[in-house]
Amino acid sequence: MKDKIKSLQEQLQDKIKEVKTLKQLNDLKTEYLGKKGCVTALTANMKDLTLEEKKEIGSLINKFKEDVTVLLEELQSKIEEEELNKKLENEKIDITLPGLEIKSGSPHILEKMIEEVEELMISMGYDVESGPEVEKDLYNFELLNLPKGHPARDAQDTFYITDELLLRSQTSPVQIRTMLANKEKTPIRIICPGKTYRRDDDDATHSHQFTQIEGLLVDKDISLANLKATFEIIAKKLFGENVKARFRSSFYPFTEPSVELDISCFNCGGKGCNICKETGWITVGGAGIVHPNVLNNCGYDSEKWTGFAFGFGAERLAMLKYGIKDVRTFYLNDLRNCDTFNRRENI
Amino acid sequence: MINMDWVGEYVDLDGVDLNDLATKITNAGVNVEAVLNKRIDNLVIGLIKEVKNHPDSDHLHVCQVDIGDETLQIVCGASNVREGLKVIVAKVGAILPGDFVIKESTIRGVTSKGMICALFELGLEEKNDLTYSKGICELDDDAQVGMDYNIYAGLNDALYNLDLNPNRAIDCTNHIGFAYEVAAVLNKKVTLPDADYHEIDDSINNHFKLEIGTDKCKYYTAKMATDVVIKESPAFIKRRLESAGMRSINNVVDISNYVMLEYGQPLHFFDKDKVKDKILVRMAKDNEKIITLDSKERTLNKDDIVITDGTKPICIAGVMGGENTEVDENTKTILIESAIFEPYNIRYTSINLDLRSEASVRYERGLNYEYTLKALNRACYLLEKYADAKILKDTVIYDEIEKKDKVATITKEKICKVLGTTITDADIKDAFDRLGFNYEYKDDNYIVTIPNRRLDVAIKEDLIEEVGRLYGYEKIEAKLPVLTDKKGSYSPFIKYYKDISRHLRGLGLNEVRTYTLVSPKEANMFRYDDGELVKLDKPMSLDKSICRRSLIPSLIKVADYNKARDIQDIMIYEISTTYYDTDQEDLKLGILMQGKYVNTTWMNKNINVDFYVIKGILENLLNYLGLNNRYTFSVTDNIPSDMHPYRSAEIIVNGTKLGYFGRVNPKVSKDDNYVLELNLTKLYEIKTGNIKYKELSKYPSSNLDLAFVTKKDTPSKDIMDVIKKACGKLLTNISLFDLYEGENVSEDEKSLAFKLTLSDMDHTLQNDEITNLMNKVIKEVETKTNSKLRK
């Protein structure tokens, strides 16, 4: 009996070497472990043996059966893996073929610029407001300390619709509307980005339609030093931490004192280059302490309240920040720019 | 343009570096944009000693020119070249305007070592037929041979090109006004120019009477000068006028301009012999006519101020004189006018007549009455000195002008508070002293009397600015305001449309921005809203004359622009204001789609934009806005005729008509453009609730596929609505998964296949329940929509 088992074992070793496919393996499995297989046959021969022999031979057969099972299982997984590998190999693809073009839409360059300012100002407690573009002369000029016939109106050659109605030449009327609408006369902190219009012939640096971002703060004891700090934060956010802020005396009818907002040139660091026209400084906006007439016109007693106002041109900011040379770029909407601007930036 | 040599007459500039000064003045708030001069190296005054004809030319001359230390041979082609003439010589090495370098050369075999110049060749005159025909410049006999022409002609004079704000354009466009600014910056004093002259015994009052017939002239002064000799102006006057951009005409006319550039007070000289014995200032009559100095006839109206001789106009006040009383080469006696007119009227007249002059812009900005008489006397002084004039005694004066001192009171505390820095009393006093503002210091108050030459300064805030700019804004340290904590936010409507904007970008649409102003043709396209067009009163061009009512024409332009640049797939949107009836501004969303919405390139599974793609975008947006089940799309008469009549629909949300979408009519655009326009202002008014969690069924759901054959023109929505109603709340989803026309379906019919998802909250639906429901659905659809179950 022992010899029989031994010879069966030896035969198996030889047969396993022949097995190449799952079919052959299954046949081999049936030959050994099937109902009519040789292992079953061995058990059948045991009934004539003594109890002692039964024990010994029985455990030998069991051991043999286990060995066969393990061997065949190992073989099976080996063959299966080989077959799978062969199948996967047939599935080989060219990974350099282009992926599906999944397109997300891009914001307009100006929207990107405006939102950058809005996000900052909201974090500083400013509300974002808007107002009509067909505006009353009263709000666009008169209440802003620009009575009819004022020569400073020349600087803003305006599109009139009727004697009293115009396309707003600045977003400042939103400030007027906000102050007038505040019946309780509480402090104000707003910015108002929006479209504005002036009689300019369109060329590389002029546009009859453009975008202003204005801010207004009305509170108690507001100073130029406060304005300077606020401007510095905006300048650094937009043009980098190394940028310095500067005031230059200026004139706006609705602020007194009035200043020009300059930043040190972000390109050359102040040494002088073609971007800052060799001066080391770039003017990015205008600002000032709100003129008492404007406060009083809007029901804020100028003896109690002070405030500052500032304004930037969104196109100018974007031209400086992104190196755009021609203001008409913003209104041509060449979609090839989308690939450039549809991404996040680290700031 | 300010000539600093000229300014040097009123304030001491000895030893002052003019470039440094320019920076200081700029920092103090008057922007010196550039410091220029007209200097050209290697220019010298020469004397022509000999002129011979060129041996090989019929128009060239060979000249021997003495330039002091040597004699140069120069070939010259000018017809006025002659022996004994003093001329400007550009020596070898000179670089004339246009980068024209003077070199030693041989002209038709004759050596030439320089060039004899005309003024236009030096950039000192415009080049035109007149200046060209004058030939080379003939210098006065007193010109010193060998002298640097730059010094002789004042070309070394530093010129400040100022970029002035409107408030300082009043004083800093004049040399005395600017001298005060220089004096403030340098802490020096201003000396006004000489104005002492002799008077003859005859009185002006013997020769004419003044009558003022309007309240638009509050101040009118006049003097008379006789025996005037009209000739060329002295060199210094000529070159100063030229540096300021004014042409020299003759000594008398030049003096009136010279004084204006000194004091800012325009003067007018009449030829007294052409005026009778009266001056009447009054408002013009409608359609009254005058021929002005430029020989043009002007038609006036009742808002123009005129100077008349009692009957006819002889001058449009403050704007331009009349030809009928013009000073010419035969003039002997002149009447000098120095007056102040109402700025508003001067502005009106000059805009109305489209006639702006150096005088009119000064009148418009306003004048300092303290200078009116000073300028008059200064003119008399100059006329006596440079035109041999005899000045008649007495001055005719009409004076109704209010002469109140401008006084403003300010405290140190207020200045410090507004500037946000600590300024001492010494700083403040220093600033007022420099500015030449007189003040009294009483009980911590500065009571400041503001001189009239600073028309821009009136209130205490102006004083804060004056102190601040001289103190220096760079010294103010940045300090954030201390404010109550408050969160900032977008106004709800801005937040609403920004949200829409972002959502659309997520759907693959690119934001564009286009112009508000459009042409009449564009303004009338895609007309959807009622209401009048908003038109500009005086448009710059017809192209941009009307505020748009629809965004779609602008979007089609953007599509065309990109198409021309070979961009095939155009997915764009704009959120912008549209206008009608002047008081109605609505924010609209416009979308344009063209090409492939999904471009799978080599995979060949593209999705081309069609009606259902843009409809999908719209439905996605409306669902996002919480309007699920509250919108319908229908074919109505409101859809603009610029849309495809059978592939467009009107958008109705909650019963409100909000816009339309579909294909653009091919007669408008031959490209396959699909567009959408939606009124966001109105959409925003439709209230939506907040998100609420909906309990989901714990039990498995069942699917049921049903196909119906129906007439081709039966809307699929009709069948779907019937199914929904029949299933009630057991239906959790329904979708149309197949549309079939063709074999096995008759020609006027189509087959629609729906997938129904059914579930119940309490149990798993049993087969008999589903069968019952199915039978109910089939029966309802067949009876209500004239359809048959497709077996």
Side-chain angles (χ1 to χ4, degrees):
Chain A
M1 199 68 153
K2 284 181 196 169
D3 293 345
K4 181 105 195 242
I5 290 171
K6 200 174 177 193
S7 92
L8 278 173
Q9 251 170 346
E10 277 160 10
Q11 283 172 25
L12 182 66
Q13 291 299 334
D14 291 342
K15 285 183 178 172
I16 278 175
K17 281 174 194 154
E18 301 294 309
V19 171
K20 293 281 182 273
T21 66
L22 275 180
K23 169 87 173 54
Q24 289 169 324
L25 178 81
N26 279 333
D27 291 348
L28 194 63
K29 226 184 217 172
T30 318
E31 192 184 332
Y32 276 77
L33 301 171
K35 276 181 187 162
K36 289 172 184 166
C38 52
V39 177
T40 321
L42 286 174
T43 334
N45 293 337
M46 278 195 14
K47 59 182 189 292
D48 304 331
L49 299 178
T50 63
L51 200 65
E52 204 114 310
E53 283 172 330
K54 268 184 187 169
K55 254 188 187 171
E56 193 197 339
I57 298 299
S59 76
L60 271 179
I61 291 174
N62 275 341
K63 174 82 174 35
F64 178 52
K65 196 177 175 181
E66 266 170 39
D67 288 351
V68 172
T69 307
V70 168
L71 265 176
L72 290 181
E73 272 175 4
E74 274 172 8
L75 185 61
Q76 183 169 359
S77 41
K78 195 178 148 212
I79 292 171
E80 273 175 358
E81 199 179 316
E82 271 168 15
E83 291 206 341
L84 180 65
N85 277 342
K86 209 177 276 169
K87 186 171 170 251
L88 293 183
E89 201 181 325
N90 284 333
E91 288 171 6
K92 184 177 175 183
I93 56 165
D94 175 3
I95 59 132
T96 66
L97 280 172
L100 176 63
E101 277 181 15
I102 298 172
K103 295 214 168 156
S104 57
S106 167
H108 191 269
I109 305 167
L110 287 173
E111 181 68 7
K112 213 173 159 66
M113 191 70 241
I114 292 166
E115 287 199 344
E116 206 175 314
V117 179
E118 285 171 345
E119 195 188 327
L120 170 72
M121 299 317 289
I122 286 174
S123 78
M124 292 169 72
Y126 287 73
D127 294 327
V128 183
E129 296 290 346
S130 60
E133 292 167 22
V134 172
E135 187 54 278
K136 294 174 180 162
D137 183 281
L138 181 72
Y139 292 161
N140 192 73
F141 285 128
E142 280 182 52
L143 294 181
L144 282 159
N145 203 30
L146 271 156
K148 290 214 168 79
H150 194 294
R153 283 193 180 201
D154 285 358
Q156 307 186 1
D157 211 348
T158 307
F159 289 115
Y160 276 89
I161 292 156
T162 65
D163 282 350
E164 297 302 328
L165 274 179
L166 44 78
L167 272 182
R168 66 178 179 192
S169 60
Q170 45 194 354
T171 49
S172 318
V174 184
Q175 303 183 7
I176 297 291
R177 286 175 174 272
T178 306
M179 285 191 273
L180 288 174
N182 187 327
K183 299 285 178 223
E184 295 83 32
K185 302 302 164 199
T186 52
I188 288 176
R189 242 182 289 173
I190 56 161
I191 62 164
C192 30
K195 290 180 191 149
T196 48
Y197 307 86
R198 288 183 199 176
R199 300 176 73 90
D200 271 324
D201 285 316
D202 295 341
D203 61 24
T205 53
H206 296 85
S207 182
H208 75 280
Q209 176 176 327
F210 59 104
T211 316
Q212 281 194 335
I213 309 174
E214 283 198 337
L216 170 74
L217 183 148
V218 178
D219 215 304
K220 302 274 165 73
D221 297 333
I222 296 304
S223 70
L224 270 184
N226 299 155
L227 173 62
K228 201 172 190 179
T230 307
F231 170 52
E232 259 178 22
I233 290 176
I234 299 171
K236 284 178 194 295
K237 162 87 164 101
L238 298 184
F239 296 103
E241 280 302 313
N242 297 326
V243 157
K244 287 194 282 290
R246 179 178 83 169
F247 280 173
R248 253 182 323 115
S249 181
S250 185
F251 171 79
Y252 300 103
F254 28 86
T255 48
E256 187 71 43
S258 305
V259 292
E260 297 285 314
L261 303 175
D262 294 352
I263 57 168
S264 60
C265 181
F266 50 83
N267 184 53
C268 64
K271 288 197 283 287
C273 66
N274 62 341
I275 290 180
C276 59
K277 292 185 188 131
E278 307 301 329
T279 63
W281 295 91
I282 301 171
T283 304
V284 294
I289 298 292
V290 183
H291 196 288
N293 291 356
V294 175
L295 288 173
N296 293 330
N297 286 343
C298 298
Y300 279 83
D301 181 352
S302 65
E303 292 299 319
K304 288 188 201 146
W305 296 90
T306 43
F308 62 66
F310 57 85
F312 305 102
E315 282 85 352
R316 176 156 173 79
L317 291 182
M319 286 167 90
L320 286 170
K321 192 174 160 78
Y322 301 120
I324 296 167
K325 301 272 186 297
D326 191 324
V327 69
R328 288 166 295 197
T329 307
F330 298 107
Y331 297 97
L332 283 175
N333 299 292
D334 192 317
L335 294 175
R336 289 171 295 183
N337 287 327
C338 292
D339 295 335
T340 313
F341 284 91
N342 195 13
R343 51 159 285 209
R344 74 179 296 277
E345 282 182 288
N346 294 319
I347 288 180
Chain B
M1 197 75 81
I2 292 286
N3 182 326
M4 291 309 287
D5 180 57
W6 194 346
V7 170
E9 288 201 3
Y10 317 124
V11 58
D12 178 15
L13 292 177
D14 274 358
V16 174
D17 181 323
L18 294 178
N19 286 310
D20 269 6
L21 177 62
T23 309
K24 282 184 189 153
I25 290 174
T26 300
N27 289 342
V30 176
N31 199 9
V32 183
E33 206 169 50
V35 182
L36 312 165
N37 64 47
K38 296 192 171 171
R39 182 184 170 80
I40 298 169
D41 286 341
N42 293 311
L43 291 186
V44 66
I45 296 172
L47 171 67
I48 303 180
K49 298 179 71 171
E50 184 193 292
V51 177
K52 282 189 176 156
N53 288 336
H54 191 291
D56 201 15
S57 162
D58 55 359
H59 71 280
L60 293 176
H61 311 276
V62 182
C63 313
Q64 300 302 324
V65 186
D66 176 8
I67 58 163
D69 48 358
E70 59 179 319
T71 299
L72 301 175
Q73 175 170 297
I74 299 173
V75 175
C76 176
S79 56
N80 62 330
V81 64
R82 58 185 185 273
E83 285 172 12
L85 196 63
K86 287 186 177 169
V87 291
I88 309 161
V89 176
K91 293 197 288 184
V92 171
I95 303 170
L96 305 191
D99 279 335
F100 177 44
V101 181
I102 304 297
K103 294 179 201 149
E104 181 172 329
S105 58
T106 308
I107 299 170
R108 294 193 196 179
V110 177
T111 305
S112 181
K113 295 183 173 182
M115 179 171 135
I116 304 173
C117 303
L119 285 179
F120 70 80
E121 288 165 327
L122 303 177
L124 300 175
E125 264 182 3
E126 202 186 330
K127 183 178 180 179
N128 56 36
D129 289 348
L130 184 74
T131 56
Y132 190 82
S133 67
K134 281 199 309 192
I136 52 171
C137 176
E138 303 184 10
L139 297 177
D140 293 344
D141 281 343
D142 62 359
Q144 196 189 325
V145 175
M147 184 184 184
D148 182 351
Y149 179 71
N150 290 295
I151 295 170
Y152 175 80
L155 301 187
N156 287 335
D157 292 0
L159 303 177
Y160 281 7
N161 188 11
L162 304 181
D163 175 21
L164 291 169
N165 292 314
N167 60 333
R168 300 311 299 274
I170 302 169
D171 61 327
C172 288
T173 39
N174 314 309
H175 286 79
I176 291 174
F178 189 69
Y180 276 103
E181 183 65 20
V182 172
V185 168
L186 294 176
N187 201 8
K188 288 185 175 174
K189 289 282 169 247
V190 170
T191 320
L192 293 180
D194 292 337
D196 293 335
Y197 52 87
H198 306 93
E199 289 183 333
I200 58 170
D201 213 19
D202 194 3
S203 166
I204 183 172
N205 294 317
N206 300 332
H207 296 270
F208 92 107
K209 274 207 139 30
L210 173 68
E211 193 185 325
I212 305 292
T214 171
D215 63 350
K216 306 294 180 201
C217 172
K218 293 244 166 44
Y219 200 26
Y220 196 100
T221 69
K223 293 278 298 179
M224 243 174 92
T226 187
D227 292 354
V228 170
V229 179
I230 307 279
K231 54 185 173 184
E232 261 195 77
S233 281
F236 83 96
I237 289 187
K238 270 203 232 172
R239 74 169 195 249
R240 284 180 178 175
L241 289 186
E242 274 155 16
S243 73
M246 295 186 90
R247 213 157 41 92
S248 168
I249 294 165
N250 59 46
N251 57 342
V252 171
V253 175
D254 286 359
I255 284 168
S256 78
N257 287 328
Y258 189 83
V259 174
M260 175 176 73
L261 291 174
E262 281 186 313
Y263 279 103
Q265 167 71 56
L267 302 176
H268 189 72
F269 293 177
F270 298 94
D271 184 331
K272 174 66 180 75
D273 297 328
K274 298 177 189 166
V275 183
K276 291 172 198 160
D277 47 7
K278 188 176 179 185
I279 290 277
L280 166 64
V281 183
R282 59 163 168 84
M283 302 312 287
K285 296 165 189 154
D286 280 337
N287 288 319
E288 201 165 8
K289 291 186 171 41
I290 178 173
I291 296 171
T292 42
L293 288 175
D294 52 4
S295 305
K296 286 185 187 151
E297 189 183 69
R298 312 279 178 173
T299 306
L300 307 173
N301 70 44
K302 61 179 172 28
D303 289 316
D304 301 316
I305 311 167
V306 285
I307 318 294
T308 69
D309 61 1
T311 49
K312 62 177 188 301
I314 55 172
C315 177
I316 306 172
V319 179
M320 199 179 265
E323 210 176 46
N324 52 12
T325 50
E326 185 180 3
V327 172
D328 58 34
E329 64 272 26
N330 301 316
T331 298
K332 285 279 166 273
T333 306
I334 57 175
L335 185 64
I336 311 158
E337 165 202 286
S338 181
I340 295 182
F341 304 105
E342 182 61 37
Y344 188 88
N345 293 75
I346 303 297
R347 185 178 153 84
Y348 169 86
T349 301
S350 88
I351 290 173
N352 219 24
L353 297 178
D354 194 17
L355 186 58
R356 291 213 132 178
S357 60
E358 290 278 344
S360 74
V361 295
R362 286 179 166 82
Y363 277 113
E364 278 181 37
R365 290 176 189 140
L367 293 174
N368 170 15
Y369 65 80
E370 287 166 3
Y371 285 169
T372 306
L373 270 177
K374 283 199 167 76
L376 186 68
N377 288 326
R378 173 70 171 159
C380 292
Y381 167 87
L382 292 171
L383 285 168
E384 183 182 65
K385 195 162 176 184
Y386 299 109
D388 309 329
K390 296 191 172 68
I391 312 297
L392 275 67
K393 74 174 182 193
D394 300 325
T395 306
V396 168
I397 300 178
Y398 170 85
D399 183 1
E400 289 296 321
I401 204 156
E402 197 186 349
K403 295 198 190 67
K404 218 169 67 185
D405 274 346
K406 280 193 296 183
V407 177
T409 303
I410 185 82
T411 62
K412 181 179 88 175
E413 191 204 354
K414 177 76 181 171
I415 294 175
C416 291
K417 239 181 185 175
V418 172
L419 297 180
T421 190
T422 314
I423 287 190
T424 63
D425 281 305
D427 291 331
I428 295 166
K429 286 173 181 167
D430 179 56
F432 290 148
D433 287 341
R434 284 165 174 259
L435 290 163
F437 290 6
N438 293 324
Y439 61 90
E440 199 185 324
Y441 184 64
K442 212 161 75 183
D443 306 330
D444 292 339
N445 283 310
Y446 290 91
I447 304 154
V448 184
T449 307
I450 299 149
N452 229 282
R453 62 185 157 79
R454 289 298 303 276
L455 289 175
D456 59 309
V457 179
I459 57 174
K460 63 171 181 281
E461 283 74 12
D462 296 328
L463 293 177
I464 298 173
E465 177 168 68
E466 291 298 307
V467 172
R469 71 185 184 89
L470 286 177
Y471 171 77
Y473 288 136
E474 72 282 357
K475 291 187 209 152
I476 297 175
E477 265 181 58
K479 204 161 35 186
L480 270 178
V482 181
L483 304 167
T484 33
D485 271 349
K486 156 184 173 306
K487 83 168 188 49
S489 55
Y490 285 111
S491 76
F493 186 55
I494 297 179
K495 193 167 158 52
Y496 181 75
Y497 69 71
K498 281 204 183 256
D499 219 6
I500 290 174
S501 191
R502 224 167 281 131
H503 190 77
L504 292 170
R505 296 205 288 269
L507 295 174
L509 299 171
N510 295 293
E511 188 191 16
V512 300
R513 286 191 173 217
T514 56
Y515 294 132
T516 293
L517 292 172
V518 296
S519 67
K521 182 173 173 250
E522 291 166 309
N524 283 303
M525 285 169 72
F526 294 93
R527 187 165 180 173
Y528 180 71
D529 302 289
D530 294 332
E532 288 296 306
L533 290 171
V534 177
K535 295 178 186 172
L536 295 184
D537 183 25
K538 287 178 187 136
M540 294 172 73
S541 67
L542 208 54
D543 263 8
K544 300 187 177 84
S545 57
I546 301 176
C547 298
R548 61 183 166 183
R549 208 159 30 180
S550 164
L551 306 178
I552 303 301
S554 311
L555 292 180
I556 291 175
K557 265 201 207 161
V558 173
D560 292 346
Y561 176 89
N562 282 286
K563 187 95 178 178
R565 277 145 193 84
D566 212 27
I567 294 162
Q568 306 294 332
D569 307 324
I570 297 164
M571 311 294 144
I572 52 175
Y573 75 95
E574 175 165 10
I575 295 177
S576 274
T577 313
T578 55
Y579 315 77
Y580 39 96
D581 276 350
T582 67
D583 57 350
Q584 187 64 41
E585 280 189 34
D586 281 358
L587 197 71
K588 281 188 188 156
L589 162 67
I591 293 180
L592 181 147
M593 302 174 79
Q594 183 195 120
K596 293 178 279 293
Y597 179 59
V598 178
N599 184 349
T600 60
T601 59
W602 56 273
M603 291 175 243
N604 289 323
K605 292 167 196 158
N606 295 339
I607 297 175
N608 288 309
V609 170
D610 64 11
F611 179 86
Y612 301 105
V613 169
I614 198 161
K615 183 179 176 184
I617 297 275
L618 175 60
E619 288 175 322
N620 179 297
L621 176 66
L622 293 174
N623 293 343
Y624 173 72
L625 295 173
L627 294 163
N628 213 343
N629 296 327
R630 291 169 69 185
Y631 52 84
T632 55
F633 310 128
S634 22
V635 178
T636 68
D637 293 342
N638 296 327
I639 298 166
S641 62
D642 294 314
M643 297 294 286
H644 190 302
Y646 299 105
R647 293 198 169 176
S648 304
E650 189 173 21
I651 306 164
I652 299 159
V653 183
N654 236 28
T656 313
K657 293 163 181 167
L658 292 181
Y660 56 88
F661 71 100
R663 197 190 152 167
V664 173
N665 196 319
K667 75 182 182 200
V668 174
S669 157
K670 42 183 198 315
D671 291 321
D672 219 355
N673 280 320
Y674 284 85
V675 299
L676 173 157
E677 191 159 46
L678 181 65
N679 188 321
L680 297 184
T681 301
K682 289 185 183 159
L683 186 65
Y684 179 68
E685 287 163 14
I686 297 169
K687 296 287 166 252
T688 51
N690 290 331
I691 295 172
K692 240 188 200 156
Y693 177 67
K694 224 162 59 191
E695 200 68 47
L696 302 174
S697 174
K698 293 195 274 286
Y699 303 95
S701 55
S702 317
N703 285 326
L704 185 63
D705 291 355
L706 290 172
F708 294 95
V709 176
T710 187
K711 289 275 174 255
K712 264 190 179 162
D713 59 1
T714 307
S716 66
K717 185 173 180 292
D718 288 5
I719 297 176
M720 217 184 274
D721 285 348
V722 173
I723 297 173
K724 282 183 187 167
K725 208 169 166 213
C727 295
K729 61 179 180 155
L730 292 182
L731 187 72
T732 52
N733 194 37
I734 177 169
S735 64
L736 178 78
F737 71 91
D738 189 42
L739 165 68
Y740 178 77
E741 290 169 7
E743 228 178 305
N744 300 328
V745 175
S746 66
E747 224 167 69
D748 60 343
E749 289 185 323
K750 62 183 172 186
S751 159
L752 297 168
F754 299 92
K755 183 181 288 297
L756 285 62
T757 309
L758 303 163
S759 73
D760 192 285
M761 290 302 289
D762 310 325
H763 65 288
T764 306
L765 288 174
Q766 302 301 305
N767 280 343
D768 58 335
E769 283 179 282
I770 294 173
T771 310
N772 286 342
L773 188 65
M774 183 175 83
N775 290 334
K776 184 183 168 198
V777 166
I778 293 168
K779 197 179 147 203
E780 292 274 303
V781 170
E782 285 186 339
T783 53
K784 288 191 175 155
T785 68
N786 192 20
S787 310
K788 280 251 160 338
L789 182 74
R790 188 175 179 211
K791 288 169 183 153

